[in-house]
Amino acid sequence: MVIKLLNTSEYLEMCEAIGDEILLLPICQTYKKLQQEIKTNSEIIDLINKFEIAKEAYADVERYGGKYHPDYKMVSQQLIEAKSNLFQNPYIKEFKKCEREIQLILDDIAKNFSRAVEFKMNKNKSCGCGSGNCSK
């Protein structure tokens, strides 16, 4: 069996080809459309800004007293409400669903690559150090 080693640019070309194929998947097309909608929809932008402001306020409260800060309860509630409002938006919900599906696809591809490139070491050889854990 002859194994051909590829140079770095050949590996990069193969990776780019796989990336291009992934981007052509319907789920990725949907993701891109939703991403554009999120960037341009003023209602969603407002929800994102409110969430970011609430996160900042919560971080400040955490930094200066945590649950003993006088505004802790109010700021925590505002953060919960802002997060809930943002993540209940239908576009955001669908966007997050697409994100999870794409991540599963990428994880599956990574698993398949790792199975395809399995390096087996001969466990009978030892370096003589006594531990038997060396890769000599």
Side-chain angles (χ1 to χ4, degrees), residues 31-132:
Y31 179 86
K32 284 187 222 175
K33 288 176 187 168
L34 289 167
Q35 190 176 44
Q36 188 59 35
E37 178 67 30
I38 289 168
K39 287 180 182 178
T40 58
N41 185 312
S42 60
E43 179 187 335
I44 297 173
I45 292 170
D46 186 48
L47 290 171
I48 292 170
N49 289 337
K50 286 179 181 176
F51 177 65
E52 291 297 324
I53 290 168
K55 259 184 17 182
E56 279 288 320
Y58 184 80
D60 286 343
V61 165
E62 281 292 305
R63 197 172 18 255
Y64 300 110
K67 65 182 179 179
Y68 301 108
H69 191 284
D71 296 334
Y72 177 78
K73 196 171 189 175
M74 178 190 68
V75 169
S76 295
Q77 187 60 38
Q78 287 173 347
L79 178 60
I80 291 168
E81 287 174 19
K83 184 176 181 179
S84 177
N85 290 338
L86 176 61
F87 288 94
Q88 291 303 314
N89 180 281
Y91 290 107
I92 298 293
K93 282 173 115 173
E94 187 65 24
F95 181 77
K96 289 296 187 181
K97 181 181 171 199
C98 287
E99 255 184 352
R100 287 188 299 274
E101 288 182 37
I102 292 169
Q103 188 61 55
L104 288 173
I105 291 168
L106 295 173
D107 291 345
D108 193 42
I109 290 169
K111 258 190 248 173
N112 286 323
F113 275 137
S114 68
R115 279 191 215 124
V117 183
E118 211 174 287
F119 295 99
K120 295 183 181 184
M121 294 172 46
N122 188 346
K123 295 180 182 177
N124 295 331
K125 291 188 179 179
S126 176
C127 70
C129 72
S131 71

